[in-house]
Amino acid sequence: SASCPYPNSDIFPNLQSLTWFSCAPARQEYVLTFMHSRIKHLGLQLYRCDPPSSTAFLEQVCARCSGATSLELRLNDPVRHIEVDVLVLLHGLHELQQVSLPIFTLTPRIFTELSRLKHLVTISVGHPAQAQPGNREDVAQYTPTLPQDGFSTLRDLAFSSQIPHATLLLKNTIFPTRLTQLHLKNVTTASPVELRDFFCVVRDRCTSLRDLSV
């Protein structure tokens, strides 16, 4: 109908994986036509809207894909311009087990929001060669505030930060003892002392670790 351009009935009722990397902001909402509660993997490209008007769209995504367990995001701007939209999406998809983000997207606020997901096992980030249009300054000050029981199911973590900030994160939180894989993308040159401190904290705190890359 004219008032609801995206039908509620399932066009592909058996569809479990839906990837929609639209080439323009005006086309990102078309994905709603194919969404339903049985979608497990969801891939989206988010655009900054001017003026901001994407909250209603993202709320519909969360309502229609409430059972999604895997999310892959691409952004058309540095995350500083669209962080609120990413937070809306993560807050509404409660069943996520895997999240994949561009390399400079995992800001302290987004990291904190992810820590509240009760089923999250894996956080991955993109390759440095695919960093554009991201900006490393968005992860330069890495001081997330995590709940005491945050990341209760997390086993595989990749994130970008300065080495000293990563050291403090691993030292002052509980979840690193449960990690089996840790992948750190360093965003600045580190001194030998900073590297030694980091590796010592990994040794002492990440007692279940099997795979480490820096």
Side-chain angles (χ1 to χ4, degrees), residues 91-137:
H91 183 73
L93 297 176
H94 306 289
E95 303 299 319
L96 288 176
Q97 299 175 21
Q98 301 178 9
V99 174
S100 177
L101 301 167
I103 186 170
F104 299 135
T105 299
L106 201 57
T107 65
R109 289 181 68 192
I110 290 174
F111 197 74
T112 299
E113 186 64 43
L114 286 169
S115 73
R116 300 187 177 103
L117 294 175
K118 300 302 183 183
H119 308 289
L120 189 62
V121 177
T122 300
I123 299 173
S124 60
V125 296
H127 192 275
Q130 300 171 327
Q132 296 296 327
N135 190 321
R136 68 180 63 234
E137 292 298 321

Side-chain angles (χ1 to χ4, degrees), residues 46-181:
L46 299 184
Y47 289 85
R48 176 174 50 162
C49 295
D50 190 18
S53 60
S54 56
T55 299
F57 161 64
L58 295 174
E59 288 175 347
Q60 287 198 61
V61 170
C62 295
R64 292 180 181 231
C65 292
S66 58
T69 58
S70 175
L71 175 67
E72 178 185 359
L73 282 185
R74 294 185 183 181
L75 306 181
N76 208 54
D77 291 280
V79 70
R80 69 185 68 176
H81 300 305
I82 201 168
E83 185 180 47
V84 172
D85 287 342
V86 176
L87 291 170
V88 169
L89 199 57
L90 296 177
H91 183 73
L93 297 176
H94 306 289
E95 303 299 319
L96 288 176
Q97 299 175 21
Q98 301 178 9
V99 174
S100 177
L101 301 167
I103 186 170
F104 299 135
T105 299
L106 201 57
T107 65
R109 289 181 68 192
I110 290 174
F111 197 74
T112 299
E113 186 64 43
L114 286 169
S115 73
R116 300 187 177 103
L117 294 175
K118 300 302 183 183
H119 308 289
L120 189 62
V121 177
T122 300
I123 299 173
S124 60
V125 296
H127 192 275
Q130 300 171 327
Q132 296 296 327
N135 190 321
R136 68 180 63 234
E137 292 298 321
D138 291 338
V139 295
Q141 302 299 321
Y142 216 81
T143 54
T145 302
L146 304 183
Q148 193 69 11
D149 60 346
F151 291 129
S152 60
T153 57
L154 189 67
R155 298 296 180 268
D156 184 355
L157 170 63
F159 69 109
S160 305
S161 80
Q162 298 183 46
I163 290 287
H165 295 167
T167 302
L168 289 174
L169 176 67
L170 298 178
K171 183 178 181 180
N172 297 328
T173 52
I174 295 175
F175 77 88
T177 60
R178 298 187 286 266
L179 293 178
T180 58
Q181 298 186 67

Side-chain angles (χ1 to χ4, degrees), residues 157-207:
L157 170 63
F159 69 109
S160 305
S161 80
Q162 298 183 46
I163 290 287
H165 295 167
T167 302
L168 289 174
L169 176 67
L170 298 178
K171 183 178 181 180
N172 297 328
T173 52
I174 295 175
F175 77 88
T177 60
R178 298 187 286 266
L179 293 178
T180 58
Q181 298 186 67
L182 176 62
H183 309 285
L184 174 63
K185 313 294 187 181
N186 184 30
V187 297
T188 61
T189 302
S191 70
V193 172
E194 290 171 339
L195 279 173
R196 175 178 172 80
D197 290 346
F198 172 76
F199 287 128
C200 287
V201 167
V202 169
R203 176 197 63 198
D204 296 338
R205 299 286 294 134
C206 302
T207 52

